[in-house]
Amino acid sequence: MTVLTRDRSPVLVVLTLAGALALLGCGGGDQSPTDAGGGGSGGTSAGSGGISAGSGGNSGASSGGASGSSSGGVGGGGTGGRPAGTGGASSGGAGGSGGVIGSGGLVGTGGTSSGGTSSGGAAGSSSGGATGSGGLTSGGGAGGATGSGGATGGGAGHGDSGIVAAGVRWFGRVDLATDPQHPRFAWSGTGFVAQFTGTSLSASLNDGASATLFKAVVDGVPQPVFTAPAGPSTQMLASGLGAGTHTVELYRQTEGAQGNSQLMGLTVGGGGALTAPPAPSGRRLEVIGDSITCGYGTLGKLGDNDCYPTESHWDTYAAVAARSLGAELSTIATSGQGAYRNYGGDMMNTMPMVYGRTLTGSATPAWDFSVAPQAVVINLGTNDISNGKGDPGMPFRDAYLGLTQTVRMKYPDALIVCIIGPLLSGSDLDTIRGHISAVVSARQAAGDKNIEFFDKIQPQTSDKAACQYHPNPAENQIMADLLAGELKTRLHW
């Protein structure tokens, strides 16, 4: 098997460094990027900071698989807006077998669906059946949703079976409201899995204002990171494959504050075609954090000036723990971000303000929270106290408490695990531990018995420091083992 990429930048070799570790929080003035990619004073620059309410909920099935409720589930009040019907696209309306195109072309008008409607699914004729070899899956029009199994045409589906759109199943948050045929995504680690018959698979991408790092996994084998340039590009994800069915996963490594990515289409080579994507494992994990959780500079060296070229969400404690647990991960994190104030001291676009977003840098569309994890991990507080700012006091405690309340409202049954580390030490660590412990105790006293403070992560040693003191893969592995062990115990995974 040969896997090719274009515009590939090599993965840097990680060097462990001895010496004193001057813990600087989530690292340097470069930690608070704006959407244009520059180093700001804290948080993302886009949006007014408020969490969108009202009609913000993503359409469960815009232009492909009608929503079980009206017009995609208009959000109610509150942070982010929950859809009126949590299911999004229903389990009916199977995509037809017709409309297969010849090699190399775009999807035509499609065939007639072989299944009728079912509880809100797309019916009858659809305008985008399955692609033939070489076709673009996103070229279809409004229909072809396969319900719970996944879309082979251009349709979209939400719910317990995950999010299926543009012929693939998505990990993390994805914008289907703006253009369901060409989904947009931004948060670290967001991506998709495709299944196909054929010998190669390439992706047409449209990336934001800066080059974006991606990680492909072909038939379970991780591939070297590659760089997609800003703007439109075509990237070969897998080639030289043998006969049979193959899976390709694609994960975004660059954090969302650097701009959005958009999937414009997939091309299958060798006479094959996309098939329904694999079903999810049923285990889901959400992790909320800052640069540590993004993987900012994880593959870099302590003395590097620019940590974004060595950013690797794949190597973070969250991603490593999720893989060891067989869980799919949604990461909501931005470098320099705090619960009350950011690394630079500002209080714009803190995590409680952006938590309801589908895309990192935009207040709209709001996320619909239709896919629920069994556990949510919160790793915040480092930026609230680091950089010589001192104790954030009760405002931090109030902001952190508000975030836990929002998480509980969105996910009534999820285990909430609060952690801190590994960049704080000494009195700063003691202070933030005290605040988090007090918040968790208050929530438990109020009747929430499914929240805990997991206080086992220790300050990292100097030999585990990567770019701007951020944890290297070895430190992330230590954290992942601790977290995975706790989740196994609590969730019986």
Side-chain angles (χ1 to χ4, degrees):
M1 176 182 72
T2 302
V3 179
L4 303 177
T5 63
R6 299 183 184 178
D7 300 291
R8 177 182 296 169
S9 60
V11 177
L12 299 186
V13 177
V14 177
L15 302 178
T16 58
L17 303 171
L21 176 59
L23 295 175
L24 299 177
C26 285
D30 220 9
Q31 280 291 4
S32 304
T34 65
D35 285 333
S41 61
T44 57
S45 64
S48 62
I51 298 177
S52 175
S55 60
N58 274 349
S59 171
S62 55
S63 70
S67 172
S69 64
S70 63
S71 67
V74 176
T79 56
R82 294 181 75 107
T86 59
S90 72
S91 60
S97 59
V100 179
I101 65 167
S103 174
L106 295 174
V107 177
T109 59
T112 301
S113 171
S114 61
T117 61
S118 174
S119 59
S125 297
S126 65
S127 57
T131 64
S133 60
L136 296 177
T137 65
S138 60
T146 61
S148 62
T152 56
H158 279 230
D160 289 340
S161 61
I163 300 173
V164 177
V168 298
R169 185 168 58 77
W170 293 83
F171 310 118
R173 299 183 181 183
V174 57
D175 171 23
L176 303 181
T178 304
D179 183 353
Q181 305 302 322
H182 306 107
R184 297 190 301 164
F185 55 108
W187 294 104
S188 300
T190 310
F192 59 82
V193 57
Q195 188 165 270
F196 61 98
T197 60
T199 59
S200 67
L201 183 71
S202 62
S204 296
L205 301 171
N206 188 13
D207 284 282
S210 61
T212 304
L213 301 173
F214 289 94
K215 182 92 170 176
V217 180
V218 180
D219 292 332
V221 180
Q223 305 299 311
V225 67
F226 68 87
T227 303
S233 70
T234 298
Q235 305 294 329
M236 184 64 73
L237 306 182
S239 66
L241 304 178
T245 300
H246 303 281
T247 60
V248 170
E249 303 159 52
L250 186 67
Y251 299 92
R252 179 179 161 119
Q253 300 302 287
T254 300
E255 63 186 83
Q258 301 303 299
N260 302 326
S261 297
Q262 187 172 25
L263 177 63
M264 305 306 294
L266 294 169
T267 301
V268 177
L274 283 178
T275 63
S281 68
R283 296 179 177 181
R284 295 191 180 96
L285 177 65
E286 179 175 281
V287 180
I288 303 168
D290 49 35
S291 59
I292 298 167
T293 306
C294 291
Y296 178 81
T298 296
L299 299 181
K301 301 185 295 294
L302 183 61
D304 291 345
N305 293 321
D306 185 3
C307 298
Y308 289 113
T310 55
E311 192 162 36
S312 179
H313 179 268
W314 177 265
D315 292 289
T316 62
Y317 71 95
V320 174
R323 290 196 298 274
S324 73
L325 294 167
E328 295 183 358
L329 174 64
S330 177
T331 295
I332 310 300
T334 301
S335 290
Q337 197 165 50
Y340 161 63
R341 61 188 180 188
N342 299 316
Y343 179 78
D346 66 287
M347 290 174 281
M348 294 296 296
N349 293 318
T350 58
M351 179 52 70
M353 298 178 183
V354 305
Y355 178 63
R357 295 180 177 183
T358 300
L359 302 171
T360 311
S362 176
T364 57
W367 183 236
D368 63 8
F369 295 92
S370 61
V371 179
Q374 287 91 1
V376 177
V377 177
I378 303 175
N379 187 1
L380 289 172
T382 301
N383 289 307
D384 293 272
I385 198 171
S386 60
N387 200 22
K389 295 189 296 296
D391 184 1
M394 287 302 297
F396 168 79
R397 195 175 295 190
D398 291 342
Y400 197 102
L401 175 63
L403 179 61
T404 62
Q405 290 171 328
T406 299
V407 171
R408 174 58 68 223
M409 179 182 67
K410 299 301 183 183
Y411 306 125
D413 300 322
L415 169 67
I416 300 175
V417 181
C418 302
I419 66 174
I420 186 66
L423 295 188
L424 294 182
S425 64
S427 61
D428 283 355
L429 178 57
D430 292 339
T431 297
I432 294 300
R433 279 176 171 166
H435 289 315
I436 295 175
S437 179
V439 168
V440 171
S441 295
R443 290 293 301 148
Q444 291 172 340
D448 188 347
K449 303 305 182 183
N450 210 18
I451 184 172
E452 67 173 20
F453 181 25
F454 181 65
D455 189 16
K456 302 298 183 184
I457 297 173
Q458 300 301 310
Q460 73 181 28
T461 55
S462 60
D463 62 315
K464 303 296 193 301
C467 186
Q468 295 178 9
Y469 295 98
H470 285 76
N472 69 9
E475 177 64 30
N476 275 283
Q477 184 68 59
I478 293 171
M479 295 172 65
D481 291 342
L482 291 169
L483 180 59
E486 178 67 6
L487 293 174
K488 284 179 182 177
T489 300
R490 291 297 308 270
L491 300 175
H492 307 291
W493 280 358

